[in-house]
C-alpha cells in the first residue's frame, strides 16, 4: 500500500513537471517560429500573436496530459471506492454474526396449501411472518421466519436445519406479544448470507 502511495505521488510530480515543461516547449517553438516568419517581438501585433500561439500550443500539448490525468484520477477514485467497500464489507461481516446455511431457493419455498394458510396469519413485519412450523413427524419448530408468504428464510434458535422444508405440514401463528429478546447471533439464515 505504501509503495502504491509513493508511486502515485511520483506520478503527480511527474505530471506537474511535464505540464511545466510543455509550456516551455511551446514558448521555445513559437518564439523561434514567430521571430523567423513574422518578425521581432517589438513589431506591433507580434506580442499578441506570441501570447496566443504560445498558450494555444501549450493547451494542445496539455490535451494528452489531461486525458492521462483524468484516467489516473478516475482509477484512483475507483480504487479508493473499492477499498472503502471492501473495508465496510469486512466490518459488516465481522459484526454480522448470524449463522447461515445455503439452501437452494426452490427448496425453501412453501407448498400452495401452506401459502394459503399463511395468508390468514398476521405478518410480524412488513412482508414477513413469524410462525411455529409443524412437521410431518409432529415436531414443532418455533420462530420460523417466512418472507413474502412463501420463502422460509430463517429459524431463530436453531443450530442447523435438521428437517426438510417440504416436511412442514402446518403453521401456528407466533404470539407476537410474547416474543423472546431476539439476538442476531441466534438466527439461522437459510439463504447463505453471512456464511
Amino acid at each position: 500500500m505504501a509503495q502504491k502511495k509513493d508511486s502515485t505521488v511520483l506520478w503527480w510530480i511527474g505530471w506537474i513537471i511535464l505540464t511545466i515543461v510543455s509550456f516551455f516547449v511551446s514558448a521555445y517553438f513559437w518564439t523561434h517560429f514567430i521571430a523567423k516568419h513574422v518578425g521581432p517581438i517589438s513589431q506591433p501585433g507580434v506580442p499578441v500573436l506570441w501570447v496566443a500561439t504560445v498558450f494555444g500550443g501549450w493547451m494542445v500539448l496539455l490535451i494528452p496530459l489531461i486525458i492521462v490525468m483524468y484516467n489516473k484520477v478516475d482509477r484512483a477514485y475507483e480504487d479508493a471506492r473499492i477499498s472503502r467497500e471492501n473495508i465496510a464489507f469486512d466490518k459488516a461481516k465481522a459484526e454480522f454474526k448470524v449463522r447461515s446455511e445455503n439452501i437452494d431457493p426452490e427448496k425453501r419455498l412453501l407448498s400452495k396449501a401452506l401459502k394459503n394458510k399463511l395468508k390468514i396469519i398476521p405478518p410480524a413485519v412488513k412482508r414477513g411472518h413469524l410462525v411455529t412450523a409443524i412437521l410431518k413427524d409432529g415436531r414443532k419448530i418455533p420462530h420460523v421466519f417466512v418472507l413474502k408468504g412463501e420463502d422460509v428464510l430463517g429459524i431463530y434458535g436453531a443450530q442447523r436445519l435438521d428437517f426438510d422444508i417440504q416436511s412442514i405440514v402446518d403453521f401456528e401463528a407466533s404470539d407476537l406479544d410474547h416474543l423472546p429478546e431476539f439476538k442476531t447471533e441466534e438466527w439461522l439464515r437459510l439463504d447463505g448470507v453471512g456464511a
Side-chain angles (χ1 to χ4, degrees), residues 15 18-30 53-68:
W15 188 85
L18 281 174
T19 302
I20 294 167
V21 167
S22 66
F23 174 79
F24 287 107
V25 167
S26 178
Y28 179 80
F29 173 79
W30 287 112
T53 54
V54 167
F55 281 95
W58 187 38
M59 291 300 117
V60 169
L61 291 175
L62 283 180
I63 289 172
L65 287 173
I66 290 170
I67 291 169
V68 169

Side-chain angles (χ1 to χ4, degrees), residues 38 41 106 126 167:
V38 177
I41 198 81
E106 293 296 317
K126 186 177 180 181
S167 68

